Structures are given as C-alpha cells and as structure tokens.
Amino acid sequence: MTSGRPAPRSPRSKPLSYPLASAGEKLELRIVLLLLLPAVTVWGFVELADAVLAGETAAIDRALLLALRSPTNPANPLGPPWLAEMGRDVTALGGVAVLTLLTFLVAAFMALRRLWHAAWLLLAAVSSGILVSMALKGAFERARPDLVPHGSYVSSASFPSGHSMMAAVVYLTLGALLARVEPDRSVKAFVLSAAVLLALLVGVSRVYLGVHWPTDVLAGWTVGAGWALLFWLIARALQRRGSVETDTGG
C-alpha cells in the first residue's frame, strides 16, 4: 500500500564547471603569443626570399611595378610631375640621413625626459637594424628593376628594400617606445598609427619611383616590423624588471 506522499525527487546533477585560467596563466599565454610574432615574421621573410630566388614572383613584380607607370610611356610614373616629386619627398623619409637625424633627435628628447635606458634601447635597435639590412642585401645581391628609369639614386642591392626595412625599424620602434612611456591611450594609438603609415608610404614610394620590386619592399617591411617588434618585447621585458623606464598610465 502506497502512501499519499510524493516520491522523493532524485537530486539534480550540478552542471560541470571549469575553472577559469588564472591571471598568471593568461599572462604566460599572452607572452608566448607575443614571442611567436617575431618568429612569424622570420618565417614570412624566409618563404618570400625562397620564392624570389626561385623566380616565382617575377611576373607579379613586373605587373605591379608597371601598374604604377604611365600606360603610354612606362618611363613616367602615373600622375602629374608634382606627384613624382612628392614621391621623392616621401622616399627621403626612409633615407639614411633623415632616419639618422630623427633617431638622434628622439634619443636626445628621451634623455631630456630622463628616459636614459629607453634612449639607449632605441639607438641599439636602429644601429643593429642597419647592420642586418646591409648583411641581407649582401647575401642576396638582387639586381634593381631594369624595366623603367630609376626616379631616385641607388647604389646597393635590391633585396630587401633598405628604405622600407629601416623606415619600419625606426618608425615602428619609435612608435612602440614612445607609446610605452605615454599615459594617454588616444595618444598611444595616434603614435602607433602614424608610425605604420610612414613605413607604408616609404615602401610604396620605392616601387612608384621604380627603384625596387614590390617583393623587395614587402621583404623590407617584414624584417623591419619583426626587428621593431623584437625590441618592443625587449623593452617590455626590461620594464617589468625595472631596467627600462615605465609609462605612467599603468
């Protein structure tokens, strides 16, 4: 005989819960991902260099270079004469004289702000980047484009583009270091965006003036960005140890 009481309910199983990653684990994952970025740029450069040496990029290099020239007279860049003059002005932003002067001026500014270690880190990034650029040019010894007259004086090998690489090294390193010591987030974003824009414009101007193949510029951007990123990671690590001045924005 059953009683009028309802049968006892079986206890509900609790949903499985997974512990969230600790702050330390998240930090370690972030660091690993950041360290992978320079490796990705190295891999990208190696793959691009292999394709260039195998002649796989010849057709696209030629097509892109001629796309920036007048269809009726490939000796002339697209656009009016003043645009070509602007191209020479922009390409000068990646020249040795401009980048050296800019580097020393910013290093002096950092010294006046008592950012001594950041200034030395900037000088180390730029000087070592110049040595890497020279070594890579000597290793590949790629000839300059011969399809059109050169719109700017050149005397070194073509691959990778020294202007593009050093513009990326200098402007991106400057942007990264200045952003690290700037507390205002909007200013940080502006500085980094301006650095990227300058590096891109210098590279495009090299192809527009007919002194580099597009893959030369792409290779320069790749190595330059990787070099700047490497020194940004070094600055980040040294700041955490207190060896490089930290920003005041937290």
Side-chain angles (χ1 to χ4, degrees), residues 60-62 64-65 142 207 212-219:
I60 190 170
D61 268 335
R62 180 185 179 91
L64 291 175
L65 181 62
R142 188 187 193 187
V207 181
H212 272 295
W213 300 106
T215 47
D216 297 338
V217 171
L218 182 58

Side-chain angles (χ1 to χ4, degrees), residues 2 60 126 159 174-175 190 220 230 245:
T2 59
I60 190 170
V126 175
F159 185 91
L174 285 175
F190 172 79
L230 175 63
E245 298 83 3

Side-chain angles (χ1 to χ4, degrees), residues 22-35:
S22 65
E25 290 173 340
K26 289 182 180 180
L27 179 60
E28 289 177 2
L29 178 60
R30 186 177 179 183
I31 292 174
V32 169
L33 292 176
L34 289 175
L35 290 175

Side-chain angles (χ1 to χ4, degrees), residues 30-46 221-234:
R30 186 177 179 183
I31 292 174
V32 169
L33 292 176
L34 289 175
L35 290 175
L36 284 176
L37 292 178
V40 170
T41 62
V42 171
W43 173 82
F45 175 78
V46 171
W221 282 337
T222 302
V223 179
W227 204 252
L229 178 60
L230 175 63
F231 274 86
W232 177 77
L233 290 172
I234 293 174

Side-chain angles (χ1 to χ4, degrees), residues 4-16:
R5 297 179 179 178
R9 297 179 180 179
S10 59
R12 295 180 179 179
S13 58
K14 296 182 178 180
L16 296 176

